[in-house]
Each structure stands twice: as structure tokens, then as C-alpha cells.
Amino acid sequence: MMREWYWDTRQPTPAHTQALPERPYALSVRHPLMVVATADRHIIVYNLASPQTEYKRVISPLKYQTRCVATFPDRSGYLVGSIEGRVAVQHVEESQQPKNFTFKCHRDGNDIYAVNSIDFHPQFGTFATTGSDGAYNFWDKDSKQRLKAMQRCSLPISCSAFNHDGTIFGYAVSYDWSKGAENHNPAVNKNYLLLHATQENEVKAKAKSTTTTTRR
């Protein structure tokens, strides 16, 4: 049986263990919201005020294996990234389900790449995705638009994170095994940690334009 463990660092044994329906692939916590993604596209939502009980369990709207999840800053929902170059914007409560949508990303013509990580900006609530295509992009889910597409690296970006105030975006460039062991060449596929100093116009949502119509 697959399980997750809750730990208290003051003691050597788990404070609680929780059964999972399948192998866990990704987890995101923004207290009290925790979201766990497992094999077979299960998404389990927990309210950490009652961590022993599942708050909700759904099947990912994405058709292929989940690669990453990220909880919203306001804790009303979460993002799901898959190996098929798609992201799902999901809300927890039923009343907000009409706001759910999915979009394509990390694609180049007919080539489709995995979404390896998703990270929210700590100030603006926008987010970044990184992928097996070696690219990272900044997005605004509320306006449903990409804010900035960055130049691709020569290798996949396997993980990423903003710093505490969002002025730096760090990402790891390395082979992510998405093309199998036969395409791994240690002499060429080196590992790098890179830092990007974010500019406000890259990561801040664009102001909504207002148009005034005069009747004649």
C-alpha cells in the first residue's frame, strides 16, 4: 500500500501515516491546503486542519501522467502539469468549478514536452512553468495569458523556484530522463544551477484595458 507520512522533527517516528490510492508523484503545500498527485491521475486534496481525512479526491482533467502540482497563493485551488505539455487550472470548491480550464505549453511544432515544475511568484500571484524543452515561461492564470517566454536552454529544466520576494528565479538545467537512458550522455549532459533576475514587466500581471464606447 502506498502511503504518505506526516513528520514532527522533534520525534524520530511519523506523527501520522496516510494511505494513498497509488504511487505519489508530486505534492504541494500552502497551509492549510495540501494537494497530492499520484499515479493513475489521482489528485487528493487535504485540509491540514484535519490531515487524517481526505477533503476531496478527483481525477486529473489532463489525459496523461501528472508531473507536478502547485497550490494557489490564496489556497482556493491548484495547478497540475503533465508529461503532455499541458497545465490544468483547478479550483477546490464546487462553486468555482466553472473557472477551471487547461492550456497547452512547452511545445515546438509537433514536438511535445513534459511540464517539469510550476512555481507561483510570491508577490504577484503569477507563475512560472519549466519543461523538458529547456524553456521557462511566466504566466497569468487570471487573464489566461503568457507574460514572457524565455530563451530555451540546451537541456531540460528539471526544477525551479522563486526566492522569497520573487526578484530571483532559480532553475536547474539537467537531463531529466524524458528521452530514456539511451539518450543520456554524461560527457555532454552536464548539470547547471542558473539564476534569473526577474523584471517586474516579466512577472506582474498586465493591467486590464478599458474601452469607452460613445453612442452617437
Side-chain angles (χ1 to χ4, degrees), residues 103-137:
F103 65 92
K104 299 176 182 178
C105 54
H106 297 283
R107 298 179 177 216
D108 184 10
N110 293 324
D111 296 327
I112 300 173
Y113 300 89
V115 181
N116 285 336
S117 68
I118 305 174
D119 304 277
F120 276 98
H121 191 279
Q123 290 191 33
F124 300 130
T126 53
F127 64 94
T129 62
T130 70
S132 292
D133 57 346
Y136 64 94
N137 302 300

Side-chain angles (χ1 to χ4, degrees), residues 31-156:
H31 193 273
L33 176 64
M34 181 171 78
V35 179
V36 181
T38 76
D40 288 347
R41 299 167 46 233
H42 293 287
I43 305 290
I44 305 112
V45 178
Y46 294 91
N47 180 346
L48 291 177
S50 302
Q52 300 88 350
T53 305
E54 293 183 9
Y55 184 77
K56 189 175 188 179
R57 185 190 297 191
V58 298
I59 297 297
S60 169
L62 306 179
K63 295 180 180 179
Y64 294 90
Q65 177 183 308
T66 303
R67 197 61 169 271
C68 52
V69 292
T71 49
F72 291 0
D74 66 2
R75 302 161 181 80
S76 66
Y78 52 92
L79 303 177
V80 184
S82 79
I83 62 171
E84 191 227 354
R86 287 180 189 268
V87 169
V89 179
Q90 295 290 104
H91 292 78
V92 174
E93 301 301 336
E94 291 299 322
S95 60
Q96 294 186 301
Q97 297 306 297
K99 296 181 180 179
N100 294 349
F101 66 95
T102 66
F103 65 92
K104 299 176 182 178
C105 54
H106 297 283
R107 298 179 177 216
D108 184 10
N110 293 324
D111 296 327
I112 300 173
Y113 300 89
V115 181
N116 285 336
S117 68
I118 305 174
D119 304 277
F120 276 98
H121 191 279
Q123 290 191 33
F124 300 130
T126 53
F127 64 94
T129 62
T130 70
S132 292
D133 57 346
Y136 64 94
N137 302 300
F138 298 131
W139 307 85
D140 176 20
K141 67 177 177 60
D142 297 324
S143 63
K144 300 182 180 180
Q145 66 176 334
R146 182 167 61 184
L147 300 174
K148 184 74 173 181
M150 309 304 287
Q151 185 174 353
R152 289 171 60 172
C153 301
S154 58
L155 288 172

